[in-house]
Amino acid sequence: MSDWKIRFGTAGTSDSFAAKGYKNSLDIPAYTAEMGLDAFEYQCGHGVRLGLEKAARMAADAAERGILFSVHAPYYISMSSLEEDKRLNSVNYLLQSAAVCKALGGRRVIFHPGSCGRQSREAALEKALDTMRRAQAALDEAGYAEMTLCPETMGKIGQLGTLEEVLALCSVDKRVTPCIDFGHLNARTLGGIQSKADYAAILDRLETALGDERARRFHVHFSRIEFSKGGEKRHWTFAETQFGPEPQPLMELLAERGLAPVLICESAGTQAEDARAMQAMYRTACKT
């Protein structure tokens, strides 16, 4: 896409969506535009239930407002399951998500890779890599070659989804693009993102591992996340500053390096307001 640019948006709608009088999915583009944002991640976490006709109407409205959709695939996807039928079902869920994403005029399908369960991390990753290859082949065969699969870094230590595991999944095909959830990475490393240098190390690793436009146009999830010894506990808002990570150093780095990810805020109930706060931080950093 020649008109690619950095974008800021939300995962689902904030509490302010209903408070402002908006009623249903068809109102999402208008709400997103009113909040000054230009991206929206439609949530299919509990199943792909959005009709294609309704999605097409949303797409037309979003296109006029310059808003780009992405889709979060069902949470019950497990690329690494010990049960083969669960792995094969995961491919079908990605196909369903791709169909909706295409109807929305979007390009990216974000998904959770799965968990390790009763197997080693190595065995889980091996299964996930095999499922990933099958998924990409299935998308190509179904006519969704332009859809981008985005495996997400995960917040619980027992889940598949370290930075290295996600980058391994991205090695399956040049189109597979990482979804770097910085709150998740901070939670699973028990507070490992404390400074600008910590963020820089992650961005450097993306560049080294990917070495192409994906390192510049990756996908981002961001929120402050509470964690315990097992990793992620729950999402909070930007107002709860006792939980990390801090967004400011990341916004500065994105500006300094000229990176253009899609940034999706996943704050608990204030995602549009907090996405706007990140956008403001980024714009300020661009001027300095």
Side-chain angles (χ1 to χ4, degrees), residues 5-176:
K5 62 174 184 174
I6 191 168
R7 289 175 181 271
F8 294 85
T10 65
T13 56
S14 292
D15 295 342
S16 56
F17 180 81
K20 286 175 177 290
Y22 292 107
K23 303 291 185 195
N24 66 39
S25 298
L26 292 172
D27 296 329
I28 285 170
Y31 168 76
T32 302
E34 183 186 336
M35 298 303 287
L37 304 170
D38 54 8
F40 188 92
E41 192 153 301
Y42 193 87
Q43 303 298 293
C44 294
H46 301 292
V48 180
R49 299 184 185 132
L50 178 63
L52 298 185
E53 190 181 325
K54 189 174 186 180
R57 289 168 65 192
M58 292 163 64
D61 191 11
E64 284 184 15
R65 301 174 191 271
I67 293 162
L68 184 66
F69 276 108
S70 53
V71 167
H72 198 302
Y75 298 137
Y76 39 78
I77 281 175
S78 178
M79 311 287 271
S80 57
S81 175
L82 287 162
E83 300 168 49
E84 188 180 20
D85 62 333
K86 284 192 178 171
R87 299 199 300 275
L88 295 176
N89 282 339
S90 295
V91 173
N92 288 329
Y93 298 140
L94 288 171
L95 281 169
Q96 292 168 17
S97 303
V100 165
C101 192
K102 185 172 184 173
L104 285 167
R107 295 288 287 271
R108 292 180 167 180
V109 175
I110 292 80
F111 67 94
H112 297 169
S115 67
C116 298
R118 299 187 305 279
Q119 58 190 326
S120 68
R121 300 201 75 87
E122 294 74 20
L125 180 58
E126 200 173 310
K127 286 185 183 66
L129 285 165
D130 176 64
T131 313
M132 192 80 213
R133 292 184 196 99
R134 294 183 192 209
Q136 188 62 65
L139 256 66
D140 290 347
E141 195 178 326
Y144 301 128
E146 78 279 19
M147 291 293 119
T148 302
L149 292 176
C150 301
E152 180 181 343
T153 57
M154 297 306 295
K156 290 189 171 73
I157 291 170
Q159 292 171 315
L160 196 66
T162 64
L163 179 61
E164 291 306 318
E165 286 161 351
V166 163
L167 290 172
L169 292 171
C170 291
S171 71
V172 164
D173 189 282
K174 287 284 187 188
R175 290 165 291 182
V176 180

Side-chain angles (χ1 to χ4, degrees), residues 200-213:
I202 294 168
L203 298 177
D204 290 346
R205 183 68 190 116
L206 289 186
E207 180 58 47
T208 303
L210 301 172
D212 56 27
E213 278 295 278

